[in-house]
Amino acid sequence: MKRFIALLVAGIASIQFAWAAVNLNTASQAELETVKGIGPAKAKAIIDHRSKNGPFKSVDELKEIKGFGEKSINGMRPELTVAGGSEKAAATLKK
Protein backbone atom coordinates (compact mmCIF):
# COMPACT_ATOMS: atom_id res chain seq x y z
CA MET A 1 0.00 0.00 0.00
CA LYS A 2 2.84 2.40 0.84
CA ARG A 3 4.39 1.72 -2.55
CA PHE A 4 1.11 2.47 -4.30
CA ILE A 5 0.74 5.77 -2.48
CA ALA A 6 4.33 6.72 -3.29
CA LEU A 7 3.76 5.96 -6.97
CA LEU A 8 0.51 7.89 -6.96
CA VAL A 9 2.15 10.95 -5.39
CA ALA A 10 5.07 10.75 -7.85
CA GLY A 11 2.64 10.50 -10.75
CA ILE A 12 0.66 13.51 -9.62
CA ALA A 13 3.85 15.51 -9.07
CA SER A 14 5.11 14.70 -12.57
CA ILE A 15 1.79 15.76 -14.10
CA GLN A 16 1.90 19.02 -12.17
CA PHE A 17 5.49 19.59 -13.31
CA ALA A 18 4.52 18.98 -16.94
CA TRP A 19 1.84 21.66 -16.73
CA ALA A 20 4.08 24.18 -15.02
CA ALA A 21 6.25 25.18 -17.99
CA VAL A 22 7.38 28.79 -17.84
CA ASN A 23 6.67 30.77 -21.01
CA LEU A 24 9.75 32.74 -22.09
CA ASN A 25 7.53 35.26 -23.85
CA THR A 26 5.23 36.15 -20.97
CA ALA A 27 7.01 35.24 -17.73
CA SER A 28 7.96 37.83 -15.17
CA GLN A 29 11.42 37.89 -13.64
CA ALA A 30 10.09 36.08 -10.56
CA GLU A 31 8.50 33.35 -12.72
CA LEU A 32 11.71 32.88 -14.71
CA GLU A 33 13.68 32.52 -11.48
CA THR A 34 11.59 29.46 -10.56
CA VAL A 35 13.37 27.52 -13.32
CA LYS A 36 16.41 25.64 -12.04
CA GLY A 37 19.49 27.32 -13.51
CA ILE A 38 17.92 30.77 -13.96
CA GLY A 39 18.82 33.31 -11.31
CA PRO A 40 18.10 37.04 -11.14
CA ALA A 41 20.79 38.03 -13.67
CA LYS A 42 19.75 35.46 -16.28
CA ALA A 43 16.07 36.24 -15.78
CA LYS A 44 16.78 39.92 -16.38
CA ALA A 45 18.86 39.05 -19.46
CA ILE A 46 15.94 37.02 -20.87
CA ILE A 47 13.52 39.89 -20.32
CA ASP A 48 15.99 42.40 -21.85
CA HIS A 49 16.48 40.14 -24.89
CA ARG A 50 12.73 39.74 -25.28
CA SER A 51 12.23 43.52 -25.07
CA LYS A 52 14.91 44.27 -27.68
CA ASN A 53 14.27 41.39 -30.11
CA GLY A 54 10.61 40.50 -29.70
CA PRO A 55 9.14 37.17 -28.65
CA PHE A 56 11.15 33.98 -28.61
CA LYS A 57 10.30 31.58 -31.42
CA SER A 58 12.16 28.72 -29.78
CA VAL A 59 13.76 27.86 -26.46
CA ASP A 60 16.97 27.44 -28.47
CA GLU A 61 17.12 31.23 -28.93
CA LEU A 62 18.43 31.40 -25.37
CA LYS A 63 21.83 30.61 -26.96
CA GLU A 64 21.87 34.25 -28.12
CA ILE A 65 22.07 35.39 -24.47
CA LYS A 66 25.41 35.40 -22.66
CA GLY A 67 25.52 32.69 -20.01
CA PHE A 68 23.29 30.18 -21.82
CA GLY A 69 24.94 27.25 -23.53
CA GLU A 70 23.50 24.22 -25.23
CA LYS A 71 23.99 22.02 -22.19
CA SER A 72 22.26 24.41 -19.78
CA ILE A 73 19.41 25.02 -22.24
CA ASN A 74 18.86 21.29 -22.67
CA GLY A 75 18.66 20.93 -18.88
CA MET A 76 16.03 23.67 -18.64
CA ARG A 77 14.08 22.72 -21.77
CA PRO A 78 11.42 20.62 -19.94
CA GLU A 79 10.59 23.62 -17.75
CA LEU A 80 10.37 26.19 -20.55
CA THR A 81 8.01 26.94 -23.40
CA VAL A 82 7.51 29.77 -25.88
CA ALA A 83 3.77 29.45 -26.55
CA GLY A 84 0.98 27.04 -25.75
CA GLY A 85 3.38 24.18 -25.04
CA SER A 86 4.18 23.52 -28.71
CA GLU A 87 7.91 23.88 -28.08
CA LYS A 88 7.65 21.48 -25.16
CA ALA A 89 5.80 18.94 -27.29
CA ALA A 90 8.43 19.23 -30.02
CA ALA A 91 11.20 18.71 -27.48
CA THR A 92 9.47 15.59 -26.21
CA LEU A 93 9.28 14.18 -29.74
CA LYS A 94 13.02 14.74 -30.26
CA LYS A 95 13.94 12.49 -27.32
Side-chain angles (χ1 to χ4, degrees), residues 24-25 27 43-56 65:
L24 290 172
N25 292 322
K44 183 169 178 359
I46 290 169
I47 292 170
D48 290 345
H49 184 274
R50 182 174 71 197
S51 296
K52 291 176 187 173
N53 301 296
F56 287 87
I65 302 171

Side-chain angles (χ1 to χ4, degrees), residues 14 17-18 59-60 70-80 86-95:
S14 67
F17 177 73
V59 172
D60 290 317
E70 189 169 337
K71 186 175 179 180
S72 63
I73 293 169
N74 286 338
M76 295 178 220
R77 190 178 304 278
E79 297 180 60
L80 298 171
S86 59
E87 173 73 18
K88 195 170 143 192
T92 303
L93 293 174
K94 289 181 185 178
K95 290 182 182 180

Side-chain angles (χ1 to χ4, degrees), residues 1-16:
M1 186 66 169
K2 288 180 185 179
R3 224 180 221 174
F4 173 74
I5 292 171
L7 287 172
L8 182 61
V9 169
I12 291 170
S14 67
I15 290 170
Q16 248 182 342

